[in-house]
Amino acid sequence: MADPAVLKTPDEMRSFSLMALREDKSLGFVPTMGALHAGHKALIERARKENDLVVVSIFVNPTQFGPGEDFEKYPRTFEADEKLCAQAGADAIFFPDKKAMYSENARTFVEVGGLQDVLCGMSRPGHFRGVATVVTKLFNLVRPTRAYFGRKDAQQLRIIQTMTRDLDLPVEVVPCEIVREPDGLAMSSRNKYLSPPQRKQALCLAHALAHCKKAVAGGERDAMKLIGEMAEIVEDESDGEIDYIAIVNAETLDDVAVIAGECLAAMAVKIGQTRLIDNVRLNG
Ligand code: AMP
């Protein structure tokens, strides 16, 4: 298991990509903010299977954090991340600093109208503009054949798919299933913030969503009723603050009244100071 090359500047990244292009090698790309866990590892392993070369980026992107959010305290664990990337078979880690990624007077941003304003976009204005912009920049530097995104961030995935289509970005976006802890909690770098009692309460998201999925499989189609039941589960099992619980069309992210076709049940709940998100796909 060779250690992945660590590329710290956009120039180093560009040289690596150019080499891949010249040698006609396919390149799989996994963009992350670090503090890597088994969810990230699954993405890297999938990229490893499907491509000649694999690049993981680790960049805590300042433009996707709002004022008062956790940019400063976001966990930064480079040494452990490097090990996980090596184990999962990455060839290179792109690990730039903020200055290398953003010129002081950067004034160009990518916005995905509508999709960026609902669900998480309501309480995190500007978040998805930051995500879409940094992913576009990363795509331009890395020039991947395929890029791997987790369904854990379902809205982000939908936004990246839409942006890639709308701007004709020459990359295949590959959605990957959510990796969960044995008890059902969706893996997240932010789970590190939870105290043991909060960790128990955090299960309310997975429990509520599992209830919803089961009810839909059993024939329930009334979205309002299910949202009410999910809220009850969250309230019974935690003293968390519900940011939103929604059932939306999986493509448009518009609220639905009746579950038909591909839908998504999604929620964000603040347990203490930690905002957690989770979702399940529903087939109506
Ligand atoms: P992050 O470092 O949290 O920005 O996530 C980087 C990528 O890993 C995104 O595409 C996420 O959707 C994905 N990811 C994070 N957690 C999980 C998980 N539990 N299962 C699958 N993918 C995940």
Side-chain angles (χ1 to χ4, degrees), residues 184-222:
L185 179 68
M187 290 200 178
S188 162
S189 306
R190 290 190 168 96
N191 291 348
K192 285 193 166 76
Y193 299 150
L194 300 169
S195 68
Q198 288 173 338
R199 170 68 182 74
K200 275 194 196 129
Q201 291 192 21
L203 281 176
C204 68
L205 287 91
H207 288 167
L209 290 164
H211 166 79
C212 179
K213 194 169 175 73
K214 196 169 158 204
V216 171
E220 182 59 61
R221 293 291 178 269
D222 182 338

Side-chain angles (χ1 to χ4, degrees), residues 116-137:
Q116 68 179 10
D117 303 318
V118 298
L119 305 174
C120 289
M122 300 237 272
S123 52
R124 303 188 72 189
H127 169 67
F128 289 113
R129 168 176 128 138
V131 170
T133 303
V134 80
V135 171
T136 305
K137 287 164 68 68

Side-chain angles (χ1 to χ4, degrees), residues 31 43 98 135 164 256:
L43 269 58
K98 193 166 105 182
V135 171
T164 302
V256 298

